[in-house]
Every structure is written in C-alpha cells, then in structure tokens.
Amino acid sequence: MEKNRFIEICANSAASCVEAEAGGARRVELCAGIPEGGTTPSYGEIRTAQELTSTLAIHILVRPRGGNFLYTPAEINSMLNDIRMAHDLGLQGIAIGCLTRQGEIDLALLDKLMEAAGSLSVTFHRAFDLCRDPFRALEHLIDAGCHRILTSGQQPNAEKGLPLIAELIRQAAGRITIMPGGGVRAHNIARIEAETGATEFHTSARILLPDEMEFHREEVPMGSYGMRNGEWRQTCRQEVRKMVSGE
C-alpha cells in the first residue's frame, strides 16, 4: 500500500536534486560540505538545481562553516547575505541554526535570521540536537515562527532518538513540524513513523557511485574524513521511491 510520505532529501548536488524529484521527494535541503555536516551551497549549484527540476521545493542550508553553531559577526553577515540570495533566487525555504555558548538557542540571532527570512519556510536544523534543554528550545522555536525542527532526538541517529522525538511531537501538538533525520533509511522509516507519529522525514538516500577515472594517484589525497580519491555519494531515485511509497 502506497504511503506517500513527505520526504525531504538532504541533497549534496544538483544531480541529487534531480534524483530526489524523480524518486518522488517533494522537498530538498541543498547543501555543500557534507563531510563537515553541511554548509551553504554555491550560487551555481542552486541555479543548476532550479534549472534541472520543476516540481521540487528547494530549501538551502544557511551555514557558513562546519564546527559549532556559535557565530562571529562576519559569519552572521555571510548568513544574512545567503538568506538574501535565497530570496533573490526565488527559493522556497532555508535551514538555519544558532546556539549560545551555554547550549541555549541564540534568540537574538534567531530573531535577526527570521526577520531576514521573511516569507521563506524555515527549518531549524540539527543544531537543535546540541541544545541543553530540547523542550524549552521547542517552545522558543515555536515563538520565533520556525516552521519545522530537524532532529535525531539528540542521539547519533533517529532510531536511537525515537523516545525524545515522540515526546517532542506530543509537546508540539501541531504548532510546529518535528522532522526526524539522521540515519533515516528505507529499512527503518516505517518504525520511526509508527513510534513517533512523524509525517515528514529527512534522509539523504545516497549510494556510492562508481569512479569513472582510469588514472589514480592515491598517495595524493584530495579530501579528508576517510574518503578515497574519486569516491562520491549521490541521492538515488530508487532509494527515495522506497521511502516515499513504503514498498
């Protein structure tokens, strides 16, 4: 029986956006810098994603660097400029997150980012999973006007965070969408759905692509985080379809 779940794809490229749309996803969070946990994609990548898709809602991650979510004035300026770019390009939404040194939501910065967002749909991303008190943070994000929270339930993955995700959904009571993400796969999405009552899900649905290079120089690394030269992962439409349909 077809489930027709609302699937958001964490897309690492315009090509992944194409695969997401072909598999039945309705929205993407387009990112760069996936090994760093995600950073803001380039103007060129965003424009290409728009040109190659037609029905997909494109949100972008607004995050100037990897690491923590405590930002300098220069980094905040970059974030505001990227939100302006989202408006200029006619995007549907953004994903943001900011914390204080004490692990609370940075309400002053959040208000500034929300004002800049205006009519854009806003997701507070997994910075939420590093906050001190998720229940207090939930109320702050509702008051600020965020539309959804992406969370693994403050655990390494959403399966381990099921109890907290379910509690957050009960507390939210429809005032904001709680979207499980982090380790959501075709084999566990039904359990996450059943045990939490979630209706939107965030996943990458990526597979490892074959390396088409014939010449290699493995002793000269072009990346980090344990990836071999030439390795690349991309969203796969078949994996997306499995999660959308529940088949």
Side-chain angles (χ1 to χ4, degrees):
M1 182 176 68
E2 185 162 317
K3 291 284 187 181
N4 196 31
R5 301 177 177 114
F6 194 107
I7 300 295
E8 174 184 275
I9 295 297
C10 177
N12 59 348
S13 65
S16 283
C17 291
V18 171
E19 291 294 306
E21 184 176 61
R26 294 189 243 175
R27 185 175 66 227
V28 296
E29 180 196 298
L30 182 57
C31 314
I34 295 297
E36 294 182 276
T39 54
T40 306
S42 72
Y43 175 93
E45 198 75 50
I46 299 166
R47 285 293 296 125
T48 302
Q50 289 179 306
E51 290 164 2
L52 296 180
T53 61
S54 59
T55 64
L56 202 61
I58 299 177
H59 293 198
I60 60 166
L61 176 62
V62 176
R63 188 183 180 210
R65 56 162 171 79
N68 63 30
F69 302 100
L70 182 68
Y71 294 113
T72 67
E75 290 165 344
I76 292 168
N77 192 58
S78 294
M79 296 167 80
L80 292 171
N81 280 325
D82 284 331
I83 294 172
R84 291 187 193 100
M85 175 180 67
H87 280 293
D88 292 343
L89 289 173
L91 298 179
Q92 288 73 38
I94 56 174
I96 59 175
C98 49
L99 300 176
T100 67
R101 295 178 187 276
Q102 292 75 34
E104 306 288 348
I105 303 295
D106 186 337
L107 297 177
L109 176 52
L110 180 61
D111 285 345
K112 188 178 294 187
L113 297 175
M114 290 299 295
E115 182 179 2
S119 61
L120 293 171
S121 181
V122 176
T123 300
F124 195 93
H125 58 52
R126 286 188 62 206
F128 180 85
D129 288 324
L130 300 182
C131 73
R132 183 184 297 274
D133 183 337
F135 302 109
R136 182 169 60 197
L138 170 63
E139 297 300 327
H140 286 321
L141 296 176
I142 291 170
D143 291 343
C146 293
H147 297 92
R148 69 192 59 78
I149 298 170
L150 171 60
T151 179
S152 63
Q154 298 200 325
Q155 295 294 324
N157 58 65
E159 266 197 296
K160 291 185 177 180
L162 283 174
L164 178 56
I165 293 170
E167 283 189 67
L168 292 168
I169 289 174
R170 283 193 293 271
Q171 180 178 330
R175 294 175 295 159
I176 192 172
T177 298
I178 306 298
M179 180 169 59
V184 176
R185 302 287 184 268
H187 72 269
N188 63 17
I189 191 170
R191 180 189 173 200
I192 296 169
E193 183 177 48
E195 295 189 20
T196 66
T199 57
E200 295 189 13
F201 304 88
H202 177 93
T203 178
S204 67
R206 291 189 204 111
I207 60 171
L208 184 64
L209 297 182
D211 184 5
E212 297 182 358
M213 288 293 294
E214 295 178 0
F215 175 77
H216 292 270
R217 195 181 293 281
E218 293 292 346
E219 68 273 18
V220 184
M222 289 289 112
S224 58
Y225 305 97
M227 291 185 70
R228 295 177 58 241
N229 284 348
E231 282 190 346
W232 179 246
R233 292 184 182 273
Q234 181 176 291
T235 298
C236 170
R237 65 186 66 188
Q238 288 83 5
E239 292 299 309
V240 176
R241 197 169 291 126
K242 287 177 190 176
M243 283 182 272
V244 170
S245 67
E247 295 174 354

